[in-house]
Amino acid sequence: MRLRPATADDLDGIDAVFARARDAMFTYLHRLHTPEEDRQFLAGLLETTEVWVAEEGGRVAGFAALAEELLEHIYAFPHGRGVGSALLERAKELRPSGFRLWVFQRNEGARRLYERHGMRLVRLTDGAGNEQGEPDAMYEWRP
């Protein structure tokens, strides 16, 4: 696995990972955006945020988007291959003073991953603050 800064050429791979990972969450999330809207969102993310990709066999297997002290997005697909762990460790290297992230409470696999990597739960919400209306949780990593 290779981690590297993302470029505009990675948009197709990032879009594919995002779509597959989000599809797995649609058992509890409502689909609010079209695939075209998601792609536009991701293109904007590449322009405004520090995005890293994990590559396996020349293909994007995951990505992480960091802004200041917030890990805004982290997606890996397929799960269970160490991609999410590698991206979290890179986030720690890039933000040595620490960072926060939000995760849906029902995303138990992601929550276990964050806790295994030393992140601690600092807040639970009822979902009123996110567009999905889904209860979420804030985690924090501080060295």
Side-chain angles (χ1 to χ4, degrees):
M1 179 184 337
R2 176 178 164 225
L3 300 179
R4 62 173 174 75
T7 69
D9 291 338
D10 294 314
L11 180 58
D12 287 344
I14 289 170
D15 187 38
V17 166
F18 184 77
R20 289 186 303 223
R22 294 291 282 205
D23 283 349
M25 288 187 262
F26 286 128
T27 58
Y28 58 88
L29 286 183
H30 302 288
R31 191 176 301 273
L32 299 177
H33 302 285
T34 66
E36 295 78 22
E37 290 169 332
D38 285 342
R39 187 174 175 85
Q40 285 180 319
F41 167 76
L42 294 168
L45 198 66
L46 283 168
E47 293 175 6
T48 61
T49 310
E50 181 179 1
V51 180
W52 284 75
V53 295
E55 255 184 355
E56 285 186 326
R59 300 180 67 185
V60 174
F63 72 95
L66 294 123
E68 308 251 342
E69 285 194 8
L70 185 66
L71 178 54
E72 290 189 7
H73 300 278
I74 182 168
Y75 289 95
F77 200 86
H79 306 292
R81 296 174 60 153
V83 174
S85 291
L87 288 166
L88 268 178
E89 291 304 313
R90 179 57 49 96
K92 289 178 180 180
E93 293 169 11
L94 296 168
R95 301 296 186 272
S97 61
F99 59 88
R100 300 176 323 277
L101 62 79
W102 287 99
V103 61
F104 295 116
Q105 289 182 31
R106 288 201 249 183
N107 192 342
E108 294 172 1
R111 292 181 68 183
R112 283 191 302 272
L113 173 72
Y114 304 147
E115 290 168 6
R116 274 196 317 268
H117 284 271
M119 299 189 77
R120 68 179 184 89
L121 177 66
V122 293
R123 184 174 171 205
L124 295 173
T125 78
D126 64 3
N130 65 58
E131 71 178 341
Q132 292 86 2
E134 179 68 25
D136 53 9
M138 176 181 276
Y139 279 82
E140 179 178 68
W141 175 75
R142 297 285 175 217

